[in-house]
Amino acid sequence: MKNTTLKPRTPVYIIGSASVVGQQERKGPIGASFDISEKDDFGMDSFEKAEAKMQCLALGCAMSKAGLTEADLDCMLAGDLINQCISSSYGLMDYRIPYFGLYGACSTCAEGLLLGALSGLDRCAAVTSSHFCSAERQFRFPLEYGGQRPPTSQWTVTGSGAFILSTLERDCVRVQGDFVPEITELLPGCIVDRGISDAGNMGAAMAPAAADTLERYFQAGHTPEESDLIVTGDLGHLGMDLLLQLARDDGMNLGGKLTDCGTLVFDNTVQDVHAGGSGCGCSASVLAGHILQCMAKGIWNRVLFAATGALMSTTSSQQGQSIPGICHAVAIENEVK
Amino acid sequence: MKNTTLKPRTPVYIIGSASVVGQQERKGPIGASFDISEKDDFGMDSFEKAEAKMQCLALGCAMSKAGLTEADLDCMLAGDLINQCISSSYGLMDYRIPYFGLYGACSTCAEGLLLGALSGLDRCAAVTSSHFCSAERQFRFPLEYGGQRPPTSQWTVTGSGAFILSTLERDCVRVQGDFVPEITELLPGCIVDRGISDAGNMGAAMAPAAADTLERYFQAGHTPEESDLIVTGDLGHLGMDLLLQLARDDGMNLGGKLTDCGTLVFDNTVQDVHAGGSGCGCSASVLAGHILQCMAKGIWNRVLFAATGALMSTTSSQQGQSIPGICHAVAIENEVK
């Protein structure tokens, strides 16, 4: 492994993005930034089908904002938390677009952006989702059981985010007027396992991976001053505190630039979400909504988006294994035309 | 979606590959072609941990054949069938190499080769695995239950395959003498669902996807004569028959070039494997072993490797959904130096 970041060989622009969320997310502090929100069942007869429908809606909305149809896309990169990533495959199978399935847990949004940007294809889509009810049922307990969630637990965001990447200069001139975010730098993460085995404390499992990736990023010659914002996703309040502590211990300067998608999406003083938001859909919908909108307004011009994932499974947890984490980083810059 | 295949922007060479299998595979007709075989538990206390160990062994062996260490690799792309792809994340987490998790069911080997070749990175690894016992327990019944398998069912290969890709000319000169397979063309597949809902008949679920990808490949201007072999993986005997029938119905000429990894790996006249082999590890270990070795001997100079996957999950099956399939194609050519 080399101690350098990767740069796309040709400029990669985000020419369209869309977010789809449920009710809890709409009521949160950045609720107005999401494109679509519906009741949590999205009119479907299971939560898994509802999650699939969110991906379908998100990609459709992002393509429409980019003024493209499925015939214009070279591929879609998508993943989610549900076993065998069925929210992605069933949600996107009606689009006649070549499909790459990903599994990066809650880091999947960044993984998709990273692989899409590396591919150098003319146009591709990165899509991901999570759903509170399908995730609780699969990873913890079905909602009907009424299990108590520990204070360290995070609330899986019911949400989906879709992004259309293009390397075609004419696309970014055409679609978004004076705001065209560009993906300028990439740093894929290594798997980091510090022995956390509490499936109710994802923040602790992921914080060391975030510290590892950020440390590699700064070792590659970067400074926190270069970015207007460093946003992890989705450490939540406890995970973010741990990351700050790890950074202090390692002498890593984050320059007061750190925030986290899991802390932005809910207000845990009034919403009963314990340590904050999580899930593939958290960082994806917060990036597609709040963050890119703030960049469009010129509030931030360079954002380091460092999405974290806990690579856990009920199978490995039941076999006594600890929870490895991963963090992929993508630098997004406001390309003012 | 455009009706053309993709070509890597710089030549991509397979500079090392390795296969690791269990006992049933070693006893099969191409058993001698595999690098490593052990008892099916690989010395571990669970089948899931055994599967993870196979990936660890396969990548280690492939790196060693390529004369590289983990410091030389830019990333690894890996996936498997187990929920949340834990065979990959636990199997590879001791390698300090940036990690991209994939989920493409049994097509994952081709997905990894495809994304690795598209990435244009100096060197990356594509790894995948499956294990009969972990797959039976997860998708069907634990072995202890003694369930009867229907005649249409396939036997999940206990195997792992790892490939080291390099875009560095000096690598291919250095490592493999006069045989350096090159990845010359790529065709990612679309999701195809023809309504098959029998989880005991994966071949039927995947054959339409294989037909779809091969049809797109020939529509892009190719002929069967260009390739010495078209090898799907892992349709098994029934799925391959269905593919031949679909090809006839659609007027698609396969030129007598078709074979399938699931039919090569076992001899179902003497091994009790019903319709043949399947699983991510099937096409991966057959490609890393038998196919690349036959290419090294000059028996085949151009192979179209079209790995198929059934994107099913017990969750979606239990909710009455049918089984979508996918097929990614990669053309591999014998680059004689």
Side-chain angles (χ1 to χ4, degrees):
Chain A
M1 192 186 65
K2 298 156 199 164
N3 227 352
T4 51
T5 57
L6 306 170
K7 286 180 200 300
R9 277 150 308 170
T10 43
V12 178
Y13 305 99
I14 303 176
I15 59 160
S17 61
S19 53
V20 177
V21 297
Q23 292 303 299
Q24 179 85 296
E25 294 71 23
R26 175 62 92 192
K27 290 179 198 144
I30 57 168
S33 70
F34 302 117
D35 294 302
I36 298 170
S37 72
E38 290 190 22
K39 281 191 180 167
D40 287 3
D41 65 5
F42 281 78
M44 307 303 285
D45 62 7
S46 81
F47 294 122
E48 289 76 14
K49 291 179 188 169
E51 188 179 333
K53 187 166 174 198
M54 286 197 295
Q55 287 211 19
C56 183
L57 289 171
L59 179 56
C61 180
M63 287 201 299
S64 148
K65 285 191 191 182
L68 300 176
T69 66
E70 56 187 354
D72 300 311
L73 290 178
D74 293 302
C75 76
M76 46 191 182
L77 299 132
D80 57 272
L81 297 173
I82 301 305
N83 296 344
Q84 288 74 52
C85 301
I86 50 171
S87 310
S88 306
S89 50
Y90 287 89
L92 302 177
M93 73 181 190
D94 289 336
Y95 293 106
R96 179 96 178 133
I97 303 170
Y99 171 83
F100 293 113
L102 306 181
Y103 181 75
C106 307
S107 74
T108 303
C109 174
E111 184 183 345
L113 293 174
L114 221 158
L115 284 169
L118 271 183
S119 77
L121 293 171
D122 287 351
R123 297 184 185 115
C124 58
V127 194
T128 184
S129 67
S130 55
H131 194 299
F132 176 74
C133 307
S134 62
E136 285 297 303
R137 162 146 81 188
Q138 180 179 276
F139 288 107
R140 285 163 284 262
F141 303 104
L143 298 187
E144 296 82 348
Y145 176 76
Q148 287 291 310
R149 306 172 67 244
T152 54
S153 71
Q154 291 170 245
W155 186 278
T156 305
V157 162
T158 298
S160 174
F163 303 84
I164 312 289
L165 307 186
S166 172
T167 57
L168 305 176
E169 188 75 31
R170 67 174 188 273
D171 273 345
C172 63
V173 174
R174 182 174 52 83
V175 292
Q176 286 187 324
D178 56 355
F179 173 62
V180 185
E182 181 182 344
I183 294 178
T184 53
E185 207 163 8
L186 312 161
L187 186 60
C190 295
I191 302 173
V192 174
D193 187 342
R194 293 284 177 268
I196 305 296
S197 59
D198 179 359
N201 191 351
M202 295 288 96
M206 295 187 280
D212 184 71
T213 295
L214 292 177
E215 209 157 312
R216 285 173 54 215
Y217 181 73
F218 294 122
Q219 280 169 0
H222 287 284
T223 63
E225 289 69 35
E226 288 169 355
S227 297
D228 300 309
L229 187 77
I230 298 170
V231 57
T232 50
D234 320 308
L235 298 176
H237 294 281
L238 287 170
M240 201 167 83
D241 286 351
L242 283 170
L243 172 57
L244 288 168
Q245 197 176 315
L246 288 167
R248 265 194 307 275
D249 294 352
D250 295 351
M252 175 167 54
N253 171 22
L254 295 174
K257 300 288 175 77
L258 184 70
T259 189
D260 182 79
C261 297
T263 65
L264 292 169
V265 68
F266 298 126
D267 177 352
N268 71 346
T269 62
V270 293
Q271 293 181 293
D272 185 26
V273 296
H274 298 22
S278 70
C280 299
C282 178
S283 58
S285 60
V286 173
L287 178 62
H290 180 64
I291 295 175
L292 290 184
Q293 284 168 23
C294 286
M295 290 187 77
K297 289 177 192 157
I299 297 171
W300 304 313
N301 284 311
R302 187 182 199 277
V303 170
L304 184 69
F305 176 67
T308 55
L311 302 168
M312 71 149 186
S313 169
T314 53
T315 308
S316 51
S317 289
Q318 284 162 9
Q319 292 185 14
Q321 294 193 274
S322 54
I323 302 168
I326 195 160
C327 173
H328 297 299
V330 177
I332 303 171
E333 297 190 38
N334 195 343
E335 174 85 349
V336 181
K337 291 283 160 191
Chain B
M1 192 186 65
K2 298 156 198 164
N3 228 353
T4 52
T5 58
L6 306 170
K7 286 181 200 299
R9 276 149 307 169
T10 43
V12 178
Y13 305 100
I14 302 177
I15 59 161
S17 62
S19 53
V20 177
V21 298
Q23 292 304 298
Q24 179 86 297
E25 294 70 24
R26 175 63 92 194
K27 290 179 197 143
I30 57 169
S33 69
F34 301 116
D35 294 302
I36 298 171
S37 71
E38 290 190 22
K39 282 191 180 166
D40 288 2
D41 65 5
F42 281 78
M44 307 302 286
D45 62 8
S46 81
F47 293 124
E48 289 75 14
K49 290 179 189 170
E51 188 179 333
K53 188 168 174 197
M54 287 197 294
Q55 286 211 20
C56 182
L57 289 170
L59 179 56
C61 180
M63 286 200 301
S64 148
K65 286 191 191 181
L68 299 176
T69 65
E70 55 187 355
D72 300 312
L73 290 177
D74 293 303
C75 76
M76 47 191 181
L77 298 131
D80 58 90
L81 296 174
I82 301 304
N83 296 343
Q84 288 73 50
C85 301
I86 50 171
S87 310
S88 307
S89 49
Y90 287 90
L92 301 177
M93 73 181 191
D94 289 337
Y95 294 107
R96 179 93 179 136
I97 303 171
Y99 171 84
F100 293 112
L102 306 182
Y103 181 74
C106 307
S107 74
T108 303
C109 174
E111 184 184 345
L113 294 174
L114 221 157
L115 284 170
L118 272 184
S119 77
L121 292 171
D122 286 351
R123 297 184 186 115
C124 58
V127 194
T128 185
S129 67
S130 56
H131 194 299
F132 175 74
C133 307
S134 61
E136 284 298 303
R137 161 146 81 189
Q138 181 179 275
F139 288 106
R140 284 161 284 261
F141 302 105
L143 298 186
E144 296 83 347
Y145 177 76
Q148 287 290 310
R149 307 171 66 246
T152 53
S153 71
Q154 292 171 246
W155 186 279
T156 304
V157 162
T158 298
S160 173
F163 304 84
I164 312 289
L165 307 186
S166 171
T167 57
L168 304 176
E169 189 74 30
R170 67 174 189 273
D171 273 345
C172 63
V173 175
R174 180 174 53 83
V175 293
Q176 285 185 325
D178 57 355
F179 172 63
V180 185
E182 181 182 344
I183 294 178
T184 53
E185 207 163 8
L186 312 161
L187 186 60
C190 295
I191 302 172
V192 175
D193 187 341
R194 292 284 178 268
I196 305 295
S197 58
D198 179 359
N201 191 352
M202 295 288 96
M206 295 187 281
D212 184 70
T213 295
L214 292 177
E215 210 160 310
R216 285 174 54 215
Y217 181 74
F218 294 123
Q219 279 169 0
H222 287 283
T223 63
E225 290 70 34
E226 288 169 353
S227 297
D228 299 309
L229 188 76
I230 298 170
V231 58
T232 49
D234 319 305
L235 299 177
H237 295 281
L238 287 170
M240 201 167 83
D241 287 350
L242 282 171
L243 173 58
L244 288 168
Q245 197 176 315
L246 287 167
R248 265 196 306 275
D249 293 351
D250 296 350
M252 175 167 54
N253 171 21
L254 295 174
K257 300 288 175 75
L258 185 71
T259 189
D260 181 80
C261 296
T263 65
L264 292 168
V265 68
F266 298 124
D267 178 352
N268 70 345
T269 62
V270 292
Q271 293 181 293
D272 185 26
V273 296
H274 298 24
S278 71
C280 299
C282 178
S283 58
S285 60
V286 173
L287 177 64
H290 181 64
I291 295 175
L292 290 184
Q293 284 168 24
C294 286
M295 289 186 78
K297 289 176 191 157
I299 297 171
W300 303 313
N301 285 310
R302 187 182 198 277
V303 170
L304 185 68
F305 175 68
T308 55
L311 302 168
M312 71 150 186
S313 169
T314 52
T315 308
S316 51
S317 290
Q318 285 161 8
Q319 293 185 12
Q321 293 192 274
S322 54
I323 302 168
I326 195 159
C327 173
H328 297 298
V330 177
I332 303 171
E333 297 190 38
N334 195 342
E335 174 85 347
V336 181
K337 291 282 157 188

